Amino acid sequence: MTTEPRGPVDSSRIPRYAGPATFARLPRLDEVPRADIAVVGVPFDTGVSYRPGARFAPAAVREASRLLRPYHPGLDVSPFAAAQVADAGDIPVNPFDINEAIETVEHEASRLQADGTKLVTIGGDHTIALPLLRAVAKRHGPVAVLHFDAHLDTWDTYFGAEYTHGTPFRRAVEEGIVDTEALSHVGTRGPLYGKRDLEEDRRLGFGIVTSADVLRRGVDETVDALRQRIGDRPLYVSVDIDVLDPAHAPGTGTPEAGGMTSRELLEILRGLAGLNLVGGDVVEVAPAYDHADITSVAASHVAYDLISLFTLDSAGPREEQT
């Protein structure tokens, strides 16, 4: 006998501002027999190079997610009815030891995915992408990566440290856990240390769609190019919220002018419908620098869209709406 998924608290009966702040007011993982999709937080920001505060993001994004509703018209799916989605709480990581924190995230992410549960992770800084990629690679082998970010995050070291929020994707390539035929940055912009940054990034296998490219080409052309590069490979999507312009995401640690709009980001994500998505994260929300919860709201919608994409079948992209 199939049990119907347990969905969010009914907001027509209990006000959105009342009750525990699980993501989208979903049940906790310990309140359901198992979950097809789990939302997990990683309150960690020891890897940041400028403004700290992303350790407080999981709580802020959950609070902002209270306003999410159960039907997604853009993808024509009711994700919380199509699959059992639950909030797995936070992974408690050591804030003083980056190496131990990385090991903890990898171990806990692997444990949560052991029965086939897919994870949508709320960071935390971008350091956590490395252990999350390690965990999905254990199940799927090297994965395609779609990386939304103002920055490349393929630098070698900061102050001699190999593990920071600016190095996870270089380490992932070096460890052989990503498919170097299908790596893409989207939304990059701003000054670099030198032209060599781009040359080394290209050598690692990444293709780049800058925020200016998105403006000039538009969402549809961008999506087509990304889908061709990804193909049917298992895909991990990592979203640094600073991919958005500071007007749309002021609450982040390393803001850069000239970014994408939240509308562009969400539409590109929706264009991934039908791809073999195996994991995703949204990171680098720093609530202390936010205004009127703009950044946390954007991040909650990114997580909601990732969940919705997980619940779609693999028949192909959504039909164009008229």
Side-chain angles (χ1 to χ4, degrees):
M1 180 177 177
T2 302
T3 303
E4 291 294 320
R6 177 176 167 182
V9 173
D10 185 349
S11 295
S12 68
R13 296 179 178 273
I14 300 176
R16 289 188 173 87
Y17 44 80
T22 58
F23 185 83
R25 310 184 79 200
L26 287 160
R28 300 191 314 269
L29 186 59
D30 62 1
E31 294 178 315
V32 295
R34 68 171 302 278
D36 302 298
I37 303 162
V39 180
V40 63
V42 182
F44 174 83
D45 61 9
T46 307
V48 301
S49 57
Y50 192 48
R51 301 194 304 201
R55 66 183 61 185
F56 301 111
V61 174
R62 286 187 176 102
E63 191 66 31
S65 75
R66 287 177 179 271
L67 196 57
L68 294 172
R69 298 178 178 86
Y71 173 65
H72 192 315
L75 290 170
D76 188 23
V77 65
S78 296
F80 308 136
Q84 181 61 68
V85 189
D87 191 319
D90 290 343
I91 297 175
V93 291
N94 187 332
F96 304 110
D97 188 323
I98 290 181
N99 290 330
E100 181 183 321
I102 289 172
E103 291 175 2
T104 300
V105 173
E106 180 183 352
H107 178 268
E108 289 300 307
S110 299
R111 181 184 64 81
L112 287 167
Q113 296 175 96
D115 62 354
T117 299
K118 294 182 178 181
L119 295 187
V120 173
T121 306
I122 303 170
D125 74 54
H126 224 152
T127 310
I128 70 170
L130 178 62
L132 294 171
L133 284 167
R134 288 174 179 172
V136 295
K138 288 177 184 176
R139 293 187 59 85
H140 302 281
V143 295
V145 173
L146 184 50
H147 170 220
F148 293 87
D149 202 322
H151 310 96
L152 301 173
D153 288 2
T154 52
W155 286 284
D156 192 10
T157 67
Y158 280 85
F159 297 92
E162 293 183 317
Y163 301 108
T164 77
H165 74 160
T167 66
F169 297 104
R170 179 183 286 256
R171 300 287 92 84
V173 171
E174 292 171 347
E175 293 180 15
I177 56 177
V178 295
D179 187 335
T180 54
E181 297 297 316
L183 306 177
S184 300
H185 302 298
V186 179
T188 55
R189 62 191 186 276
L192 299 170
Y193 296 107
K195 191 172 183 178
R196 183 181 176 186
D197 293 343
L198 295 173
E199 295 168 350
E200 291 194 2
D201 189 79
R202 191 177 304 111
R203 179 179 59 79
L204 292 170
F206 278 89
I208 294 178
V209 181
T210 68
S211 59
D213 291 333
V214 174
L215 172 66
R216 294 188 176 97
R217 298 176 186 175
V219 167
D220 292 341
E221 185 177 331
T222 298
V223 167
D224 287 344
L226 294 172
R227 293 183 69 96
Q228 289 178 29
R229 188 170 178 87
I230 295 163
D232 61 358
R233 298 173 176 89
L235 171 65
Y236 188 91
V237 177
S238 186
V239 181
D240 185 326
I241 206 66
D242 74 20
V243 72
L244 301 180
D245 189 86
H248 297 266
T252 192
T254 48
E256 302 279 359
M260 292 164 51
T261 67
S262 53
R263 179 175 58 246
E264 287 171 331
L265 173 58
L266 294 174
E267 282 301 308
I268 292 173
L269 287 174
R270 292 165 192 173
L272 305 178
L275 296 183
N276 184 17
L277 189 62
V278 296
D281 65 55
V282 54
V283 298
E284 298 284 353
V285 174
Y289 304 100
D290 209 0
H291 301 283
D293 300 328
I294 295 172
T295 314
S296 296
V297 168
S300 73
H301 279 263
V302 168
Y304 178 63
D305 272 36
L306 291 173
I307 292 167
S308 299
L309 289 169
F310 276 140
T311 64
L312 296 173
D313 61 30
S314 58
R318 63 189 172 124
E319 295 181 359
E320 291 295 325
Q321 295 181 349
T322 58

